[in-house]
Amino acid sequence: MEKSVTKTFGILTAGGDCPGLNAAIRGVCRAAQDKYGMTVVGIANGFLGLINREARVLEPKDFSGILTRGGTILGASREKPFKDRFPYPYNLENDKVEIIKENYRQLKLDCLVVLGGNGTLATGFRLAREGLNVLGLPKTIDNDIEGTDRSFGFSSAVDIGTQAIDRLHSTATSHGRVMVLELMGHKTGWLALYSGIAGGGDIIIIPELPYDIKAIARHLDERAQDGKSFSIVVTAEGSLSAEEALMDKKERKKYRERTALPSIGYRLAKEIEEETGMETRATVLGYIQRGGMPSAADRVLATSLGTAAAELLARGEYGRMVSISGDRIDSVDLSIPAGRTKTVPENYYMLDTAISVGTCLGV
Ligand code: F6P
């Protein structure tokens, strides 16, 4: 066995699940156990398990056959221990953060490895400021984590989004309809943009570029004049119109409630029908995007990030998130992803790519 600063670490998965979590868990734990002889404590259901001390030592057999499995063998939750901290009257015994710190000590952890998105990494950063050793791994289908080019989960979700567009194409052509496909991405359009380009979407709407329904209608009319009787519109769930972009959160909520439609996909379909008179249908892909096997690319990324995390554990380099930059596996300070959202930049090359192949971005 090689020497390691970390002897025992805890590992948890928090936030929404995604394909590649098990591959990453396997990457960290195999390398940590086989190369360095570290003890791995698996914590159930994200930070909730750390609060309730639902934890057990994981054996090598726990990591067998999980590379290709979707979801997370550890379970996940959206528990946010820092949320609503210090209510009045403050009771130290009920403070989730203090409980976590105590359980970290009781479990004799040298480090806590958290696999998660922005929220989880922010919690990890805050726990690090409270004195715990923490390492982060970037997971989310949204790809919106600052400090890394990619998060695992994204590639699998792009594949699923692309397949959905492919399938919508044939039915859209048969019926001469406009098909609106709503993909996940509550604040960013990475998933919609990548899937939209891969699937040849005719219009791609992302939250970073508030849409103008007139521009969408113009594009659909032009296509119709060119003899194309169908169109595919791909939108992120967090997209908004130019008018909505001018409203504050409260106003927007009220405005949307008036439509009595559950989400952007349906609102957009209705607006398109009203504006163009074209028969339009909406499909919301929902959790299908997050379920199932990871893609080959995600398995490779998750395994590489996982094994890199084991190296940081061995060197005792805490307070970091493993990352990928170009084709280099690296790490960044946990403060970089904490509480930030990586949006599609205004000058992102794929926006030009989309326009160059005749895709309208709704502006
Ligand atoms: O954070 C990833 C994500 O997939 C978002 O795109 C989506 O808004 C959210 O999770 C929904 O997840 P849940 O319903 O589990 O909170």
Side-chain angles (χ1 to χ4, degrees), residues 16 78 140-142 184-186 237 287 290:
R78 288 206 181 269
T140 167
I141 64 164
D142 294 346
M184 279 190 173
H186 51 314
E237 66 173 307
Y287 294 92
R290 267 182 19 195

Side-chain angles (χ1 to χ4, degrees), residues 3 7 22 44 54 65 110 118 121 144 162 167 173 196 200 235-236 243 247 253 271 291 303 337 363:
K3 274 213 174 94
K7 307 291 178 214
N22 288 326
E54 284 175 79
D110 299 317
N118 297 322
L121 295 163
D144 60 355
T162 306
R167 287 178 183 278
T173 330
T235 179
E243 299 86 71
M247 300 173 190
K253 197 169 170 240
E271 285 181 49
T303 304
V363 289

